[in-house]
Amino acid sequence: MTEHEEQRRRTPGRLTRRRLGITAGAGVAAAAGGKVAVDAAFADSDTENPTGGVRLRWLGTNAWEFKTETATVLIDPWVSRFPTGAYSSGGADPDTRIEVHEDVIDEHLPEADCILVTHGHWDHIADVPYLARRTGATVLGTETHLNLMRAMDAPEEQLGQVKGGEYYQFDGFTVEVFRSTHSAGGEHKRIVFGGTTTEAPKRPKRIKDLIEGGSLTYLIDFGGVSFFNAGSANFLDREIEGIRPTVLFVQPGGGHTPDYVGRMLEATGHPPYVVLTHWDDFDEPLTEPAVPGLDWEPVRDRVAEASPDSEFIVIDHLESHDF
Ligand SMILES: [Zn+2]
């Protein structure tokens, strides 16, 4: 355990409430039997990761940067943000126009070697074509994801089509891809903006044009520390059977998926670290502390119950945690 981890263990929950402006009573985390930590120590630091491990940084939604001394991997890097009403109006307006804020992308996502796409919805994919052009990064996604991005001028030669089952070696890390599925709601188990396409459509203009296009999950292994991420609150148990990541991402929004959190923990062998993702209202600014879009405390409580030895970590907007 590093000194930094030691310190986090001694101060569970304190930063969570201060930084997130959440008015939880003292001892909520302890009462739930879990360990909660928010990491702010490296928030304003430009230094390299002193541990030589992986610096994980949150860019809101399911957008994560994994940085080592030699590589930068991004998953679902979307930072443009524009009002959709997704959380404030009970659902995003399908006709909301897609905006790509290149200045915001440049500010928050300076580099990338590899970009992993979990599914085609706007809050995961809309910034990737521009980012790929600027960085030259490899982009992995399904045939549909790549077709959507082709229609948004993504550079063809950087697009790697995957479907789940692939295992790729990159410089300093490996990526294993798993077939997955998106959370599906209502009586008829429908996926919002669902569908696939075998050819590049007309340029997507409204958020409903960015269809789900199949979902993938990823195991990113940097040697010594590995991360498993599902961009939506669903997964396929049998596809990921036996994986043992160091860090598991979980999100609220799994209300339609039977015991989403408990099953994820079981399928991944109760990882030592569980990181909360995709919990912020993404209509709110990225440069401010995250405003919860969905109530994440039941997720924390389920982790504490199902996996009491896992450390539950909440990272705020633009802040980092070193693994
Ligand atoms: Zn989605």
Side-chain angles (χ1 to χ4, degrees), residues 91-105:
D93 178 352
D95 289 316
T96 305
R97 292 189 78 87
I98 297 164
E99 300 171 18
V100 177
H101 299 156
E102 297 181 359
D103 54 335
V104 177
I105 301 171

Side-chain angles (χ1 to χ4, degrees), residues 16 45 51 63 85 94 96 170 205 235 282:
T16 305
S45 169
T51 66
T96 305
F170 293 93
K205 289 212 162 44
F235 71 106
F282 47 64

Side-chain angles (χ1 to χ4, degrees), residues 118-124 182-183 191-192 212 215 231-233 278:
T118 66
H119 64 280
H121 287 156
W122 84 94
D123 54 320
H124 299 255
H182 196 278
S183 60
I191 292 170
V192 174
E212 182 251 359
S215 287
S232 173
H278 215 335

